[in-house]
Amino acid sequence: MRDGFTLTVGATGDPWFGLSGGLLPSRRTYDLPSAESIGLIDAERAGEELHLMGMALASNLDGFTPNEFSDEFPEMSRERWVEIAQLCKTAGTAVELVTAALCETAGMLALNKDEENLDPLSPMVSAFLLEASMQYLVSVGHNLANIALRLCVESDECRARLKVGNSSVRRILAGVVEPGDQPAGWIYHSQAGQIHRHLSGLSLAPVRCLDVVERIYDAEDWRQLTSARNLYFHRWREGFRGGTTSSNQAVLELQTATVRGAACAGRAIPEFYYRLIDSYPQASATAEKAPLMGPIWNVDPGTGEKTKPLPETHFSG
């Protein structure tokens, strides 16, 4: 038995595991695959760049007092841009952590390819990490939806449309613009389509951000992720007990769904990232006319060559 775990057999003969130390083994007994080897290099890069974007935006905002921000960018809310920066950091970090967790679970589960020597712990520990990863990925969908919503609220044209929307949309708008942390101002990923329909025909960068968010929600890989997450979130996990062939197969299916969901996020974030840049205020009201946030470049220290941090691709689901 690995460090940190005990195996107990109950009165009915059912085995269950209890913690007597740390959650993960103190010494790794498996090879750790790379994100690239399990098909998640795009997700790893996208998560990192979105995280860095949030950090850069937060740093820019820290250079303004509320009054200075109002002078530079009239009619805009510094508080909302702070929320956007924090949501970018949160979503990016979540994707980074999920990618790392999926590398760990891939390594654990690789040990069980030899069915005669199944590790009874790896399915249970992997399932725990995978369900946590699913929760984080679902939260990424919510994060991106709320970034897009706030970008739309910062647009005069979008805000005018939302003001004459149905009662649900008006409540959401009020929840974003009213002082304080209003619950109505924080939407679910599933509500992105509802907001998007009220903004149809507007060819604006914030609306395009919302469109990407809706496409993520409708993507087949994302739907498989949320279906698997909902199944284990609401029902029993009998398939992961006992270290049997069936428990190993159950967690392999969970791994596949989570990897596909993470890869889906990795394909979608680049388009969202560039439409987010397009949504930033392009010029302040002062003589300097500086943008709130410019594009971020990777610069080769030897040649000075600039390259985009992410491919500017269209997400097709």
Side-chain angles (χ1 to χ4, degrees):
M1 187 61 59
R2 291 180 183 171
D3 295 346
F5 290 91
T6 58
L7 174 63
T8 303
V9 178
T12 62
D14 289 337
W16 59 278
F17 296 96
L19 285 171
S20 59
L23 175 63
L24 295 176
S26 59
R27 292 174 301 278
R28 204 183 262 134
T29 59
Y30 49 87
D31 293 329
L32 187 65
S34 66
E36 184 174 14
S37 69
I38 62 173
L40 292 180
I41 188 63
D42 291 341
E44 183 179 60
R45 290 172 179 165
E48 180 181 8
E49 293 302 333
L50 188 59
H51 185 182
L52 290 174
M53 172 65 76
M55 292 175 63
L57 178 57
S59 178
N60 283 6
L61 290 164
D62 283 344
F64 296 100
T65 66
N67 287 339
E68 287 171 343
F69 186 88
S70 295
D71 291 340
E72 296 283 347
F73 302 101
E75 308 301 323
M76 292 209 163
S77 165
R78 181 178 180 277
E79 180 182 349
R80 264 194 294 282
W81 285 104
V82 168
E83 290 176 340
I84 290 168
Q86 297 298 341
L87 286 165
C88 286
K89 289 195 290 183
T90 298
T93 301
V95 176
E96 291 175 292
L97 288 172
V98 166
T99 303
L102 290 173
C103 290
E104 291 284 351
T105 52
M108 287 187 210
L109 295 173
L111 294 178
N112 285 4
K113 289 180 179 178
D114 178 6
E115 294 186 356
E116 293 183 0
N117 297 292
L118 292 176
D119 177 354
L121 293 180
S122 63
M124 293 191 70
V125 176
S126 295
F128 178 84
L129 290 174
L130 289 167
E131 288 193 56
S133 297
M134 287 179 161
Q135 290 294 93
Y136 264 53
L137 284 172
V138 169
S139 80
V140 169
H142 297 328
N143 295 153
L144 297 183
N146 280 288
I147 292 170
L149 171 63
R150 279 151 179 76
L151 293 172
C152 289
V153 169
E154 287 291 84
S155 160
D156 291 340
E157 291 175 83
C158 292
R159 193 163 58 247
R161 286 277 194 97
L162 298 177
K163 283 182 179 179
V164 295
N166 61 30
S167 59
S168 175
V169 169
R170 294 197 304 274
R171 279 196 301 272
I172 290 169
L173 175 61
V176 177
V177 300
E178 288 178 2
D181 191 14
Q182 304 294 330
W186 296 95
I187 62 171
Y188 296 109
H189 191 177
S190 58
Q191 293 173 278
Q194 175 191 6
I195 304 295
H196 189 213
R197 284 190 290 276
H198 282 76
L199 302 174
S200 62
L202 291 179
S203 183
L204 301 170
V207 180
R208 294 192 185 108
C209 279
L210 200 59
D211 176 54
V212 176
V213 175
E214 184 179 12
R215 276 184 272 138
I216 297 171
Y217 187 78
D218 290 336
E220 179 61 28
D221 286 346
W222 196 264
R223 287 189 176 277
Q224 287 193 15
L225 166 79
T226 55
S227 293
R229 176 261 183 192
N230 292 344
L231 176 68
Y232 293 110
F233 190 75
H234 295 287
R235 304 184 194 180
W236 55 84
R237 299 172 178 84
E238 200 70 29
F240 301 134
R241 297 178 59 191
T244 64
T245 301
S246 61
S247 68
N248 195 55
Q249 183 58 39
V251 80
L252 284 172
E253 292 172 0
L254 195 60
Q255 170 87 0
T256 298
T258 313
V259 167
R260 290 182 65 175
C264 180
R267 294 193 305 273
I269 286 174
E271 183 180 358
F272 184 90
Y273 176 95
Y274 288 110
R275 301 298 77 77
L276 169 61
I277 292 175
D278 293 341
S279 300
Y280 290 140
Q282 295 303 303
S284 64
T286 61
E288 287 79 8
K289 303 293 182 185
L292 173 60
M293 180 78 185
I296 295 176
W297 297 94
N298 291 332
V299 181
D300 186 305
T303 65
E305 180 184 2
K306 296 195 302 183
T307 56
K308 291 184 175 182
L310 293 172
E312 192 162 356
T313 54
H314 175 77
F315 173 62
S316 58

